[in-house]
Amino acid sequence: MAEANEPTQVPGAEGGDGANQEPPVDYKALYEAEKKHSREWEKKAKANRTAAAALEEANNANKTAEDQIADLKKRLDDKEKEEKRSKIAAKVAQEKGVPASLIVGDDEESMSKWADDMLAAFKKPPAPKARSQEASRSRATATNLSCATSRASSSVTTRDK
């Protein structure tokens, strides 16, 4: 008996004169088969996505009351902490004359120190302004004229000798 995995041979197909040609491949049929396969996986993925959403919703619903209370307490503490910080920042801003939105720090002492440092850094005298190009050109022209005048006068004195 012949094995199922062995290729079958067509009688009279042996020989090298082109009798062993394969029929043309139907690419459209292959494409349609792959497209059908792809659509099946797409349906499975959508079903999994809805199942995952349902599972997450069930998990959230099963959250214990203690977890919900702890979460709400944490949010409340964070909000109170931010409000306290905002009030301190407003107070320091009023005292120092610095905008509250620019103040950094968690307590009044660090905010005051930061505001003082900020004021000290910005109260320094500004750096000297660079000369404009026009002013430097006019100085260069004046220097060139004085050099040219001195050369001309020295050449006149050398001719006179």
Side-chain angles (χ1 to χ4, degrees):
M1 274 198 133
E3 293 283 327
N5 293 339
E6 290 182 18
T8 58
Q9 293 183 356
V10 179
E14 294 178 18
D17 59 349
N20 193 14
Q21 292 182 351
E22 295 180 11
V25 178
D26 186 8
Y27 290 108
K28 183 166 179 125
L30 290 174
Y31 169 76
E32 293 299 326
E34 289 300 319
K35 187 175 176 183
K36 180 181 175 188
H37 184 69
S38 174
R39 297 292 182 227
E40 289 173 9
W41 280 105
E42 187 177 344
K43 288 177 187 175
K44 289 178 183 178
K46 286 180 181 178
N48 285 342
R49 183 176 57 203
T50 56
L55 177 64
E56 184 161 343
E57 185 178 314
N59 286 340
N60 288 339
N62 289 337
K63 224 180 197 187
T64 64
E66 292 92 25
D67 291 343
Q68 291 176 348
I69 290 171
D71 185 41
L72 290 174
K73 280 184 179 180
K74 182 182 181 299
R75 288 175 46 194
L76 181 63
D77 289 342
D78 291 344
K79 184 136 180 109
E80 287 174 350
K81 190 183 229 182
E82 182 58 34
E83 286 178 8
K84 181 180 176 184
R85 188 207 170 279
S86 295
K87 286 179 182 178
I88 294 171
K91 179 183 173 190
V92 171
Q94 180 107 24
E95 291 172 357
K96 304 292 181 176
V98 176
S101 61
L102 297 178
I103 293 181
V104 176
D106 291 328
D107 59 356
E108 187 172 356
E109 187 177 312
S110 64
M111 289 181 190
S112 268
K113 183 181 179 321
W114 183 88
D116 290 337
D117 293 344
M118 191 72 163
L119 289 171
F122 285 106
K123 294 243 177 176
K124 290 182 181 176
K129 293 182 180 177
R131 287 189 265 165
S132 67
Q133 291 180 349
E134 189 175 310
S136 47
R137 278 191 211 132
S138 65
R139 288 185 185 150
T141 305
T143 306
N144 289 342
L145 287 176
S146 66
C147 289
T149 308
S150 65
R151 283 189 209 137
S153 65
S154 66
S155 65
V156 170
T157 54
T158 54
R159 277 194 234 154
D160 292 338
K161 291 183 184 180

